[in-house]
Amino acid sequence: MANMSLKKVKMDEQDPNLRNKNFLEVALGYTLEEAIEEANRCIECKHSPCKNGCPVNIQIPEFIHAIKNGDIEEAYSIVTDDNGLPAICGRVCPQENQCEGRCVRAIKGESVGIGRLERFVADWHMANAKDKKVEIKKKTEKVAIVGSGPASLSCAADLAKYGYDVTMFEALHELGGVLMYGIPEFRLPKDLVQKEINQVLNLGVKVEKNVIIGKSLDIEDLFEDGFKAVFIGSGAGLPRFMNVPGEDLNGVYSSNEFLTRVNLMKAYDFPNNHTPVRLGDIVAVIGGGNVAMDAARTAKRLGAKEVHVIYRRSMEELPARQEEIHHAIEEEIQFDLLRNPVEVLGEDTIVKGIRVIKMELGEPDESGRRRPVPIKGSEYIMDVDNVIIAIGQTPNPLLINTTKELKTNNRGCIMVNEETMETTMKNVYAGGDAVTGAATVILAMGAGKQAAKSIHNKLVFDSRK
Ligand SMILES: Cc1cc2nc3c(=O)[nH]c(=O)nc-3n(C[C@H](O)[C@H](O)[C@H](O)COP(=O)(O)OP(=O)(O)OC[C@H]3O[C@@H](n4cnc5c(N)ncnc54)[C@H](O)[C@@H]3O)c2cc1C
């Protein structure tokens, strides 16, 4: 029976005062009954605008229809026809700007909770079903994939399903890219990421960890080794800095280093794990995106008494997802808005504070947002023990600098033909953050899938020559 409630079925969450002291997942997911109740909010409208909002074209009304019938395995099978990482995407996709942003129920009330339902079917499958062995007719051609983030995982999975002999080369000792080293455990549990990665590996994808393409091996070496095509999904892992005095003091972290120490090296479990993070009582996080929210909420969980997000525009312009801002406020993160650090202050090489200037909003800039303008004479000093800089990331230049045939734009992103994802180097394709700059998981996955299709078409064409 249709559920005409204007609001999504509530999803339970850990209490803010408990969860800001632990790394367990914040949102607890739907029960079967709750999922069916939420699925019944979908009116299966004629034009299904939600589908057009999904970068990987999941058949959304169809999978929701299967949930209504209580056939969760069928729902899972429909979702995974287009998206091999549904437990991940159900948790971290910005659905409000994509599928849910186009849902007709959102015209009057809240959209259908498509992300929550996607998460539900993925979690249900992991808890209740056995993966079926997929029979794939093997081809002889080898394809190399650089990196193992969402762009690479989806490219590798699709190529393996076409039958290619696929090897992923990953610089780190763990697969998953930002899914493993960036997004914190309390938003995206790592055992779950590993399970979805395992499903890609079960398709026969091979892995070489601790190999940096551009350093340990060049792209040319891969072709000499017999690989017929290469996909680059090397992400955007180079942190931006503020370029203010004192940024090199002890106690200043890039968000990248901070989150990697905590997530990948499990600093929250020190001394059981050997990578500590030194944090004092007062932490300033600079920036206003999802990465800043993740760093701030992580610092709070590690025991910081006060965590301040310092952002140069106002609350309205904060680029982080509304849900993440809401969670951060509930967890007592403080927002110091219309502020910008101009100096990090220290004593004996250790951070002691920051000098901050107040800002006001002027005319819109090229991004369409009102430009923050410093207010003369408004500087003041804030005592802080740590500074975490989360003002953006760009593609790591290593691979690009050592591979001269790859052309990049003025932001250091690899240039591709947008239809085929082929780079300026023959038989080399790229996608994800390495091409777009820091973006989203689902866009990276969409690009990986698009590249897989082009690589397949190209190799089929070459084999007929
Ligand atoms: C803290 C944080 C929070 C985020 N939160 C969200 C969110 O909530 N929702 C969302 O949609 N997006 C979020 N994002 C963005 C999202 O994670 C990225 O857009 C996405 O991971 C990009 O995927 P990718 O495959 O292009 O690159 P990555 O995930 O960065 O993976 C690239 C991989 O390539 C490897 N690599 C790099 N260079 C080489 C080389 N030369 N040789 C071999 N391997 C190499 C890296 O080690 C890495 O494993 C977040 C990002 C961060 C940092």
Side-chain angles (χ1 to χ4, degrees):
M1 200 178 47
N3 171 0
M4 295 315 289
S5 164
L6 296 184
K7 288 200 171 263
K8 289 178 186 171
V9 173
K10 194 169 167 289
M11 186 188 281
D12 282 342
E13 289 179 351
Q14 271 200 77
D15 181 81
N17 265 323
L18 273 181
R19 72 179 192 237
N20 67 12
K21 296 171 196 67
N22 69 52
F23 277 81
L24 301 175
E25 196 173 8
V26 168
L28 302 176
Y30 279 154
T31 60
L32 175 62
E33 293 69 30
E34 288 165 343
I36 294 178
E37 197 185 335
E38 182 59 25
N40 280 326
R41 293 188 63 238
C42 174
I43 54 172
E44 299 187 28
C45 54
K46 204 167 158 204
H47 301 297
S48 332
C50 52
K51 279 190 195 177
N52 300 331
C54 175
V56 295
N57 293 35
I58 296 178
Q59 302 303 299
I60 294 168
E62 287 79 358
F63 100 77
I64 293 182
H65 185 81
I67 299 177
K68 287 181 188 176
N69 292 338
D71 192 348
I72 311 305
E73 202 42 26
E74 169 66 7
Y76 178 79
S77 156
I78 296 170
V79 172
T80 48
D81 274 347
D82 300 295
N83 181 353
L85 308 175
I88 294 167
C89 292
R91 284 168 168 81
V92 304
C93 265
Q95 290 102 3
E96 62 279 15
N97 305 325
Q98 298 175 348
C99 51
E100 293 186 12
R102 303 195 186 187
C103 173
V104 295
R105 294 296 312 262
I107 298 169
K108 198 175 166 200
E110 289 181 354
S111 67
V112 175
I114 301 168
R116 294 174 178 194
L117 293 174
E118 183 183 22
R119 167 194 166 137
F120 169 76
V121 295
D123 290 1
W124 189 94
H125 173 85
M126 281 185 199
N128 298 294
K130 278 219 168 83
D131 284 322
K132 294 179 198 119
K133 185 119 184 74
V134 199
E135 288 304 323
I136 299 171
K137 202 163 160 245
K138 296 278 180 205
K139 294 184 167 55
T140 49
E141 292 106 318
K142 296 200 299 175
V143 182
I145 310 276
V146 180
S148 64
S152 299
L153 287 168
S154 57
C155 186
D158 281 8
L159 286 167
K161 285 183 198 158
Y162 286 125
Y164 294 101
D165 180 353
V166 182
T167 307
M168 255 182 333
F169 294 88
E170 167 55 50
L172 298 174
H173 61 282
E174 290 261 21
L175 304 179
V178 171
L179 305 174
M180 276 294 186
Y181 74 72
I183 306 180
E185 179 78 23
F186 56 82
R187 275 213 297 133
L188 186 61
K190 302 307 154 214
D191 63 333
L192 205 142
V193 176
Q194 190 58 56
K195 281 186 186 154
E196 292 207 325
I197 293 175
N198 289 347
Q199 296 190 344
V200 176
L201 303 186
N202 287 344
L203 296 168
V205 173
K206 298 174 196 156
V207 170
E208 296 271 351
K209 294 180 188 171
N210 302 309
V211 179
I212 306 178
I213 303 299
K215 198 165 185 176
S216 335
L217 285 173
D218 290 335
I219 292 200
E220 290 81 358
D221 296 330
L222 296 174
F223 285 114
E224 272 171 31
D225 259 8
F227 288 97
K228 297 288 178 219
V230 177
F231 172 77
I232 304 174
S234 51
L238 185 71
R240 268 203 207 115
F241 286 93
M242 299 183 290
N243 295 322
V244 300
E247 230 173 350
D248 52 355
L249 286 166
N250 284 323
V252 178
Y253 293 101
S254 69
S255 55
N256 199 332
E257 179 191 350
F258 177 68
L259 290 170
T260 302
R261 276 175 182 265
V262 179
N263 289 317
L264 193 68
M265 316 304 285
K266 305 221 173 342
Y268 60 84
D269 196 23
F270 183 79
N272 295 330
N273 279 286
H274 299 295
T275 302
V277 161
R278 192 197 69 83
L279 277 193
D281 285 344
I282 310 177
V283 176
V285 177
I286 319 299
N290 287 326
V291 182
M293 297 307 126
D294 282 345
R297 296 172 68 199
T298 299
K300 187 80 184 175
R301 281 163 172 76
L302 288 173
K305 293 204 172 76
E306 273 179 39
V307 180
H308 297 256
V309 166
I310 299 187
Y311 178 59
R312 60 201 184 128
R313 291 183 163 99
S314 72
M315 201 65 165
E316 271 158 46
E317 290 85 18
L318 267 179
R321 289 183 71 189
Q322 278 307 317
E323 184 178 304
E324 303 311 325
I325 299 168
H326 169 73
H327 280 150
I329 293 171
E330 281 187 339
E331 291 168 14
E332 296 176 354
I333 305 297
Q334 301 179 34
F335 286 78
D336 296 12
L337 303 167
L338 291 164
R339 301 282 186 277
N340 203 27
V342 289
E343 185 178 2
V344 183
L345 307 162
E347 224 175 76
D348 300 330
T349 77
I350 311 254
V351 173
K352 284 287 171 228
I354 42 176
R355 187 189 302 281
V356 182
I357 191 162
K358 294 185 183 169
M359 313 290 277
E360 60 189 351
L361 294 179
E363 292 302 311
D365 61 16
E366 19 348 298
S367 71
R369 294 177 305 169
R370 291 177 65 195
R371 186 189 299 274
V373 184
I375 303 174
K376 260 196 195 141
S378 67
E379 285 182 20
Y380 64 100
I381 290 174
M382 224 179 125
D383 289 340
V384 302
D385 301 298
N386 294 94
V387 179
I388 303 173
I389 302 166
I391 57 169
Q393 311 211 141
T394 53
N396 190 315
L398 190 132
L399 175 61
I400 299 152
N401 287 348
T402 52
T403 319
K404 294 288 175 228
E405 282 178 65
L406 281 180
K407 282 219 171 74
T408 54
N409 64 17
N410 56 7
R411 294 183 299 130
C413 300
I414 300 175
M415 289 167 69
V416 293
N417 172 324
E418 282 180 15
E419 244 166 62
T420 62
M421 308 307 286
E422 192 167 16
T423 66
T424 45
M425 195 170 176
K426 193 171 169 230
N427 287 352
V428 177
Y429 297 73
D433 283 6
V435 168
T436 54
T440 62
V441 170
I442 196 73
L443 286 175
M445 289 180 66
K449 289 175 85 67
Q450 200 180 335
K453 206 169 179 186
S454 304
I455 291 171
H456 173 59
N457 290 342
K458 179 73 190 328
L459 295 183
V460 168
F461 179 78
D462 285 353
S463 70
R464 289 188 184 144
K465 271 193 216 162

